[in-house]
Amino acid sequence: MKLICPKFLLSYSVVVVCMLLTTISFTSCVTNDDFPDDPQGNFEALWKILDEHYCFFSQKGIDWNEIHKRYTRKFHNGMTESQQFEVMADMLSELKDGHVNLFTSFNTARYWSWHENYPRNYSDSLIRKYIKTDYLIASGMDYTILDDNIGYLRCSSFQNGMGAGNLDYIFLFFQPCKGIIIDIRDNGGGALTNAEELAARFTNESRLVGYIQHKTGRGHDDFSGLKEQILKPGKGIRWQKPVVVLTNRSVFSAANEFVKYMRCCPNVRTVGDCTGGGAGLPFTSELPNGWSVRFSACPMFDKDKRLTEFGIEPDYKVALTTEDFHRGKDTIIEFARKLMR
């Protein structure tokens, strides 16, 4: 779930991550002090990296010092690598953050409860019934025109580049339609530049879509002021008719930002479930033993300065019902079609 900011050049390696802002020249590199390469040293390095650079302690009410006290007792020099990993993974799960991972050669720690404990509200088998077999594919997206003259665009990831020519062709294809449905359910993110590229086709003027902050010190609340995120009109064909964006709890990271952008564009409504969030730009650092840790470092907000880490509620909350599923109907798509009519 890599997330790359369109207004900031974000490049990160296993060891260090630096962010270059377009408004001012600022470099933030995440490193760790010299800790010994043993179980206790690796634990202390991991805890300190998060302590100084993770961005949601206050928003989530996390007592990181208490967590240190609780987990430090679990480390001793006789631990195997697998045992170290298990305890570190448990500690990181206390952050309840899908952007927090620990990478090793044998496993990756991840936190998935942000979507596992919620209804999925999506069925791939139902989608196949709507798009059939003669759908088109461009920039990794599937698209077709439904039988009521409504365009349907399925975007399952923002990992693939959004070619300007591909997008022009898609919107030319949809030209006869009364509106389009953009289905991003189960989209776990990707490159934010791609999310921005698609969203930019739905505005004719520059729009304030949100804000971002960066850390200015090692304290949990040491942040810069809010920096504006501006969505500029895309170059090429721009869509002027109604749009409905379909969401569920598995919409995360760059896809979560896409929803934030689209809610600022005209003629756009969102239908489905609350998104999964993931509104912290991830940075990466390294432990003494070579393991890599990724974590949220820069919080992002919507245009009303509300944190979107916990998800974005839809305009219309609609769930996929069992009755519709057995009838071969997607409740959320059908609701969107009714809005179009």
Side-chain angles (χ1 to χ4, degrees):
M1 288 172 278
K2 178 177 65 177
L3 188 111
I4 302 175
C5 181
K7 302 303 177 188
F8 305 86
L9 179 60
L10 178 64
S11 64
Y12 51 88
S13 66
V14 174
V15 181
V16 63
V17 182
C18 297
M19 182 174 71
L20 176 66
L21 303 177
T22 58
T23 53
I24 59 174
S25 178
F26 172 79
T27 302
S28 175
C29 296
V30 179
T31 60
N32 61 74
D33 293 337
D34 293 329
F35 290 96
D37 183 7
D38 57 36
Q40 192 68 42
N42 285 303
F43 162 73
E44 293 294 344
L46 178 63
W47 183 88
K48 187 170 184 180
I49 289 169
L50 274 295
D51 181 59
E52 295 181 351
H53 301 287
Y54 184 69
C55 66
F56 293 131
F57 286 120
S58 296
Q59 293 89 338
K60 295 183 178 181
I62 297 170
D63 186 342
W64 196 234
N65 289 318
E66 184 278 328
I67 289 174
H68 179 277
K69 182 178 180 181
R70 182 154 37 97
Y71 279 87
T72 190
R73 306 189 191 110
K74 301 182 180 184
F75 286 87
H76 56 83
N77 287 334
M79 299 177 76
T80 64
E81 283 193 334
S82 179
Q83 290 170 333
Q84 291 179 61
F85 175 86
E86 182 179 355
V87 179
M88 288 180 178
D90 288 344
M91 183 181 75
L92 293 179
S93 69
E94 303 266 3
L95 299 175
K96 296 180 171 57
D97 192 324
H99 271 145
V100 174
N101 304 101
L102 182 64
F103 301 99
T104 74
S105 60
F106 57 87
N107 202 355
T108 298
R110 63 273 185 191
Y111 179 80
W112 284 344
S113 294
W114 54 269
H115 69 84
E116 287 179 327
N117 298 331
Y118 298 84
R120 188 178 179 193
N121 284 318
Y122 176 78
S123 167
D124 186 68
S125 62
L126 289 182
I127 297 302
R128 296 301 116 189
K129 292 184 178 182
Y130 282 88
I131 66 174
K132 301 182 172 63
T133 59
D134 58 347
Y135 60 90
L136 289 77
I137 305 174
S139 291
M141 298 183 290
D142 304 337
Y143 62 105
T144 190
I145 297 177
L146 304 179
D147 56 16
D148 53 357
N149 199 35
I150 293 175
Y152 176 84
L153 178 67
R154 170 67 184 149
C155 179
S156 59
S157 172
F158 284 114
Q159 295 284 3
N160 300 301
M162 297 283 176
N166 297 129
L167 292 178
D168 284 344
Y169 189 92
I170 290 172
F171 292 119
L172 279 174
F173 179 78
F174 285 149
Q175 187 176 14
C177 298
K178 64 184 73 173
I180 60 174
I181 295 170
I182 302 178
D183 192 345
I184 62 167
R185 289 175 293 175
D186 276 21
N187 185 325
L192 193 52
T193 49
N194 295 329
E196 180 187 28
E197 186 75 24
L198 181 58
R201 295 303 185 106
F202 299 94
T203 180
N204 295 320
E205 60 186 52
S206 294
R207 294 180 181 275
L208 172 68
V209 293
Y211 299 88
I212 189 170
Q213 289 180 308
H214 62 266
K215 288 297 292 289
T216 57
R218 297 180 179 182
H220 289 184
D221 298 311
D222 292 342
F223 291 101
S224 69
L226 294 172
K227 308 295 183 181
E228 293 183 346
Q229 291 176 298
I230 304 296
L231 179 67
K232 297 181 179 180
K235 295 180 180 178
I237 297 173
R238 294 195 292 271
W239 187 256
Q240 311 296 325
K241 301 176 186 179
V243 181
V244 176
V245 179
L246 308 187
T247 64
N248 68 352
R249 188 65 187 180
S250 291
V251 170
F252 188 77
S253 193
N256 189 72
E257 284 290 287
F258 176 76
V259 174
K260 184 178 85 174
Y261 293 168
M262 292 296 286
R263 286 173 63 87
C264 298
C265 296
N267 303 316
V268 176
R269 288 170 286 185
T270 54
V271 172
D273 200 358
C274 180
T275 64
L281 276 178
F283 280 17
T284 302
S285 188
E286 187 177 85
L287 306 185
N289 62 1
W291 293 356
S292 178
V293 57
R294 185 180 75 153
F295 53 90
S296 299
C298 296
M300 292 184 287
F301 307 80
D302 67 13
K303 65 180 179 63
D304 298 316
K305 302 181 180 180
R306 294 173 300 198
L307 185 68
T308 55
E309 164 69 5
F310 305 105
I312 301 172
E313 292 287 346
D315 295 318
Y316 300 90
K317 197 172 183 67
V318 180
L320 182 62
T321 68
T322 303
E323 294 77 13
D324 279 345
F325 178 83
H326 289 305
R327 292 192 302 116
K329 297 292 184 181
D330 187 309
T331 315
I332 300 173
I333 290 179
E334 292 303 319
F335 187 91
R337 295 172 82 174
K338 289 179 181 178
L339 283 181
M340 291 288 187
R341 300 188 192 112

